Amino acid sequence: QLQASGGGLVQAGGSLRLSCAASELTFGRYTVGWFRQPPGKEREFVTARKWGGSTYYAESVKGRFTISRDNAKNTVYLQMNSLKPDDTAVYYCAARLFGNSIYHRADYDYWGQGTQVTVSS
């Protein structure tokens, strides 16, 4: 139901925009989050946007990443600027309908398949 795309290889300091398109659910009613899993590490919270518009970011990406939503396209975006090698990971989008907690994998009901982001130094 969620399809993530937009990953790739980029040099440090560069930018990428990830997309998460939904089918069979309407993002406007959902909290949507992005997580990432660096090589050899656990999946971690990156950012989330609640259905009401509030946004939340991990400290490591504040000021560099922006989550946004296009209701007409039923798509959520993750704009990533000033990328660093430490941002290298598989990025996943996720969605949940009910509840307020947003920082943990178990908080979400739906997951995309992941898209690889590699930042070279």
Side-chain angles (χ1 to χ4, degrees):
Q1 291 180 322
L2 302 182
Q3 182 75 28
S5 61
L9 174 63
V10 64
Q11 288 188 333
S15 298
L16 280 175
R17 189 178 77 161
L18 306 183
S19 300
C20 179
S23 60
E24 302 179 16
L25 61 86
T26 302
F27 270 150
R29 300 173 57 202
Y30 286 74
T31 289
V32 182
W34 286 94
F35 285 70
R36 67 186 181 186
Q37 188 161 10
K41 297 184 179 180
E42 296 291 318
R43 196 172 300 187
E44 61 185 23
F45 172 81
V46 176
T47 181
R49 188 184 191 283
K50 289 192 173 182
W51 68 269
S54 299
T55 56
Y56 305 82
Y57 296 91
E59 285 296 323
S60 60
V61 306
K62 274 184 181 178
R64 301 188 297 121
F65 290 12
T66 303
I67 187 172
S68 62
R69 187 179 72 202
D70 185 329
N71 288 337
K73 295 183 178 180
N74 205 27
T75 300
V76 171
Y77 301 100
L78 179 61
Q79 178 66 43
M80 305 186 295
N81 299 328
S82 302
L83 283 161
K84 306 174 182 179
D86 285 348
D87 295 319
T88 295
V90 177
Y91 283 71
Y92 299 87
C93 60
R96 69 173 298 173
L97 183 57
F98 299 111
N100 290 317
S101 183
I102 59 170
Y103 296 105
H104 307 289
R105 291 180 61 176
D107 295 334
Y108 295 82
D109 304 308
Y110 306 98
W111 288 86
Q113 83 288 4
T115 184
Q116 177 70 47
V117 172
T118 303
V119 184
S120 63
S121 56

